[in-house]
Amino acid sequence: ARTMTPSITIDTVAPTVTSLTGVSANGRYGASQPVSFAVNFSEPVIVTGTPLIALNTAPMRTAQYVSGSGTTSLVFRYVPVIGDVSARLNQASQTALILNGGSMTDQYGNDANQTLPVLSAGNALAGSSNFVIDALLQASVSGLGTSLVTAPTVNRSLTTFNIAFSAPVRGVSLASFRLFFENRSVSLAGAVVRQSNASGTLWTLTLPSKATSLRGNYRLDIGGPTSGITSSSVGMTNVRSVFWRRR
């Protein structure tokens, strides 16, 4: 009888990262708006635990593995928090993939090579996708312009401003605002600021009528490094300006 020799496959080749590609749509993302992207490998990878990828955000954040074990495409997710910014989201470095106590292997037990593409390469996250992270604390005043070009013209003195913040805030006071008429500072003496909803996202600033009684161009600055406005201990260091004209 013929003896059959069993066929044995020995695989010692480690899976390697071929690219990072966007899963979420390209665009601008603010606080609490998840961004998902895939880390693509040369062969299927089995994942245990929750590996992380360090990102180029300021301050530096990480994306967490969420799905894809057993396939060539592993999905990671990053959720921006107040204060995060990145002009174009990318991995922080070629060594930004962190096992975080988990593992990444092929079906034969070979550890995956954790090296990511060169940051400037087309197969890096920033090369294949365009995610802008803008989670700075923002403020808006309905009905007013964001520049003199878009400034509305009013026929009376504006005294009440309903201000909406992009997240619950505290520390709002008269020191959080600066008023200008024709680029000259106007005193806020006698003005009153109040929180107008329970969460702290809506506030009202009421000025004495004389502060905006003259005809011309006005600007109200909200926030800034010394404004005292904070959300989850993150300060509103940026300034949001709103504009209007009095006829």
Side-chain angles (χ1 to χ4, degrees):
R2 178 180 298 177
T3 301
M4 302 297 293
T5 302
S7 176
I8 300 174
T9 300
I10 300 176
D11 183 347
T12 59
V13 178
T16 58
V17 176
T18 59
S19 64
L20 281 74
T21 53
V23 173
S24 299
N26 288 335
R28 186 175 296 270
Y29 288 79
S32 301
Q33 296 180 315
V35 181
S36 295
F37 59 90
V39 179
N40 304 300
F41 283 85
S42 57
E43 61 177 297
V45 172
I46 298 168
V47 181
T48 66
T50 53
L52 305 171
I53 293 181
L55 302 170
N56 70 337
T57 52
M60 191 184 76
R61 304 294 186 190
T62 57
Q64 181 174 300
Y65 163 77
V66 291
S67 65
S69 181
T71 74
T72 59
S73 185
L74 307 181
V75 177
F76 285 71
R77 179 178 297 136
Y78 154 61
V79 182
V81 298
I82 286 291
D84 289 5
V85 292
S86 176
R88 189 161 186 146
L89 189 65
N90 205 2
Q91 66 266 26
S93 68
Q94 286 188 270
T95 58
L97 177 53
I98 307 161
L99 291 180
N100 191 34
S103 66
M104 303 175 75
T105 65
D106 64 14
Q107 61 178 323
Y108 301 107
N110 297 307
D111 291 329
N113 186 324
Q114 296 167 235
T115 303
L116 300 179
V118 174
L119 297 183
S120 59
N123 58 345
L125 181 58
S128 65
S129 307
N130 187 7
F131 300 126
V132 177
I133 306 302
D134 182 7
L136 290 175
L137 188 58
Q138 300 290 353
S140 61
V141 180
S142 178
L144 297 187
T146 55
S147 69
L148 277 176
V149 174
T150 60
T153 299
V154 299
N155 294 318
R156 58 182 174 77
S157 176
L158 284 183
T159 57
T160 301
F161 302 85
N162 296 311
I163 303 162
F165 291 92
S166 57
V169 297
R170 59 175 52 194
V172 183
S173 69
L174 290 184
S176 306
F177 305 93
R178 294 187 68 192
L179 178 65
F180 297 86
F181 172 72
E182 299 293 350
N183 289 322
R184 297 191 299 272
S185 182
V186 176
S187 172
L188 291 176
V192 177
V193 60
R194 292 188 178 89
Q195 183 175 328
S196 54
N197 71 348
S199 70
T201 58
L202 300 178
W203 294 73
T204 300
L205 172 66
T206 302
L207 303 177
S209 58
K210 65 180 181 180
T212 58
S213 61
L214 299 177
R215 291 177 172 83
N217 298 317
Y218 288 87
R219 183 182 94 230
L220 178 68
D221 288 352
I222 306 168
T226 61
S227 67
I229 301 173
T230 62
S231 179
S232 301
S233 300
V234 176
M236 185 177 177
T237 57
N238 54 304
V239 176
R240 172 51 62 96
S241 298
V242 292
F243 301 78
W244 72 98
R245 295 186 182 89
R246 188 181 178 207
R247 186 177 297 172

